[in-house]
Amino acid sequence: DVQLVESGGGSVQAGGSLRLSCAASGYIYNTYAWFRQTPGKEREGDADIDDDGITNYADSVKGRFNITEDSAKNTLYLHLNNLKPEDTAMYTCAANLRLHGIECSTIEHYLWWGQGTQVTVS
C-alpha cells in the first residue's frame, strides 16, 4: 500500500523546536513537500525538496525550518526551529515523482498525502 505517515508533532513554547518525520512506503517518490493548514484556511506549502535535492521554502519559514530527506530510510523530515504561535497548524507531508512544468511548492504537484501531525505553539 502507498503510505505516508507523519510523526513528531506536539505542543511547544514559542522559540522552541520540533522535528517532524514522514515515513514513505509503497511507491517510488523523488519529490516531497510539507504543507500546513489551519481551520478555515487553505493548505499552504512550507518547504519542498525535488529530485535534484534542491530545496525551496516559503518566506515565512526561511531561516527557521529545514527540509531534509533520508533516502536509505525513505523518510522525510522537517526541522522546525524558533517556532512562533502563528506556526500552529496541522502539518502534512506530500510526495510524488517529479512532474516537470508544475512547481514543486504547489498542491497540484502531489499525488500522495499523509494524514498530518498537529503542531501547537504557545
Side-chain angles (χ1 to χ4, degrees):
D1 291 342
V2 175
Q3 273 195 319
L4 299 175
V5 180
E6 300 96 335
S7 61
S11 297
V12 64
Q13 290 188 336
S17 299
L18 287 172
R19 188 185 75 167
L20 307 184
S21 300
C22 173
S25 63
Y27 194 70
I28 299 173
Y29 317 97
N30 59 16
T31 307
Y32 299 88
W34 285 96
F35 290 82
R36 70 167 75 181
Q37 190 169 24
T38 55
K41 291 189 176 181
E42 293 196 359
R43 186 173 282 172
E44 55 184 21
D46 274 350
D48 56 85
I49 182 168
D50 70 12
D51 53 335
D52 291 322
I54 296 173
T55 58
N56 178 57
Y57 297 92
D59 288 342
S60 61
V61 305
K62 280 180 182 176
R64 301 190 299 121
F65 290 10
N66 186 34
I67 186 171
T68 61
E69 176 194 358
D70 185 335
S71 298
K73 296 182 179 180
N74 290 327
T75 301
L76 177 74
Y77 299 99
L78 185 66
H79 308 261
L80 295 75
N81 301 303
N82 190 21
L83 282 160
K84 303 176 180 180
E86 51 263 43
D87 294 320
T88 295
M90 180 70 75
Y91 287 75
T92 304
C93 66
N96 202 3
L97 291 174
R98 178 72 182 271
L99 299 178
H100 295 279
I102 302 176
E103 292 292 330
C104 297
S105 60
T106 62
I107 294 172
E108 291 74 19
H109 188 276
Y110 298 95
L111 182 61
W112 307 111
W113 295 82
Q115 293 299 308
T117 185
Q118 178 69 34
V119 172
T120 302
V121 185
S122 59

